[in-house]
Amino acid sequence: MLLTLIKKRKEADDAYSFIFEPSESIMWRAGQYMFYTLPNDNPDNRGATRYFTISSSPFEKNVMITTRIDKPGSSTFKKSLTEMKIGETIQASGPDGDFIISDPNRNYVFIAGGIGITPFRSILLDLYHRKLPINVQLMYANRDKNIVFKDELESLISKNPNFKIQYFINPTHIDEKAFLTFNSQLSTLNFYISGPSPFVRSIRDLLKEQGALSENIKLDFFPGYES
Ligand SMILES: Cc1cc2nc3c(=O)[nH]c(=O)nc-3n(C[C@H](O)[C@H](O)[C@H](O)COP(=O)(O)OP(=O)(O)OC[C@H]3O[C@@H](n4cnc5c(N)ncnc54)[C@H](O)[C@@H]3O)c2cc1C
C-alpha cells in the first residue's frame, strides 16, 4: 500500500516522527511494525527498505514512524525519509509482528532502550484509549535527557495508578540492582524489551540471570544501530 506523508514532527534532539495517511484502511495491533520501501537513486549498502514499528496507536488511524536521524552519518534511506515533502508517498507492507499485549490484566515490565520506546507508545496509548488497565512499570534507558514521548507518557501516570516510569539516563544504566525491587515477582512478571539489538540482548541475559523465565520475556530487536 502507499502511505502519504502528512506531517513531520521533531520529538526530541535527533528523533523525528513522520506521519502518513494510508491509501486504504489499515488494521494493526498496537506494537506491530511495517516494512517500507523508499527508492533512492544511489542507495548505500543498507539499501532502500527498512522495518519500522508503527509508533501510533490504531485509534490514531494514521501510520507514524519515529526514528533517530544521525545527520552526518545517516544512511541514504534516512536521508530520503528526511527529505520527503508533505504529499509524497512511501511504499509499505504489513502490518506484522507479535510484540503485542494479549492480556492487559497481567503485570508487565516494559524496558526501552532509546528509540525502542516506539512500540510502547503505541501499546500504552492504546490501552488508555480502550479504557483497559495499564499494569506497567516502564524502565526507560536513554543516553541523555532528550527523552522521546516524555510528556505523552507522563500524562498517563496521573490517570493510571498502576503505571510507573523509571528513567535510566547515561551514565546510569539498567543493571542487576534495577531489578532488585521485583524480588520474588521476577518469575511471574511479563518483560517486554525493545531497542537496539545489543541493548535487547544484554537486558534479556541480565533478566534471565536474575530469575526471569524465557517464556515471560518478549523481544523487539532494532538492528542497524550497532555501529
Ligand atoms: C521490527 C523492527 C522494528 C523497528 N522499529 C524501529 C523504530 O520504530 N524506530 C527506529 O528508529 N528503528 C526501528 N527499527 C530499526 C530500523 O529498521 C533501522 O535498522 C534503524 O533505524 C537504523 O537505520 P539505518 O540503517 O537507516 O541507519 P541510521 O539510523 O542512519 O544510522 C545508524 C548508525 O549506522 C551508521 N550507518 C548508517 N549508514 C551506514 C552504512 N551504510 N554502513 C555502515 N554504517 C552506517 C550511522 O553512522 C549510525 O551510527 C526497527 C527494526 C525492526 C526489525
Side-chain angles (χ1 to χ4, degrees), residues 16-32:
Y16 294 82
S17 287
F18 300 84
I19 302 169
F20 297 91
E21 190 173 79
S23 56
E24 55 198 80
S25 157
I26 157 176
M27 307 267 282
W28 75 91
R29 301 273 307 267
Q32 289 192 305

Side-chain angles (χ1 to χ4, degrees), residues 45-46 50-51 53 66-67 70 73 75 78 118 222-223 225 227:
N45 58 347
R46 293 192 178 184
R50 288 294 185 281
Y51 290 95
T53 306
T66 306
T67 190
D70 168 16
S75 63
K78 288 209 180 156
T118 51
F222 290 8
Y225 282 118
S227 52

Side-chain angles (χ1 to χ4, degrees), residues 142-181:
N142 209 46
R143 60 187 172 193
D144 55 34
K145 288 189 174 157
N146 293 301
I147 294 169
V148 176
F149 303 137
K150 186 170 192 285
D151 293 346
E152 262 181 317
L153 296 172
E154 290 186 357
S155 73
L156 298 175
I157 295 176
S158 58
K159 304 161 210 153
N160 298 278
N162 293 331
F163 176 50
K164 296 180 183 64
I165 306 179
Q166 203 181 353
Y167 296 107
F168 296 81
I169 309 295
N170 198 23
T172 302
H173 296 284
I174 300 178
D175 58 14
E176 61 275 9
K177 289 197 293 296
F179 298 117
L180 287 177
T181 50

Side-chain angles (χ1 to χ4, degrees), residues 45-57:
N45 58 347
R46 293 192 178 184
T49 59
R50 288 294 185 281
Y51 290 95
F52 288 107
T53 306
I54 308 172
S55 56
S56 45
S57 267

Side-chain angles (χ1 to χ4, degrees), residues 128-144:
Y128 181 64
H129 180 77
R130 294 197 289 145
K131 300 187 171 48
L132 292 169
I134 305 187
N135 300 319
V136 176
Q137 163 99 27
L138 170 63
M139 302 172 82
Y140 192 166
N142 209 46
R143 60 187 172 193
D144 55 34

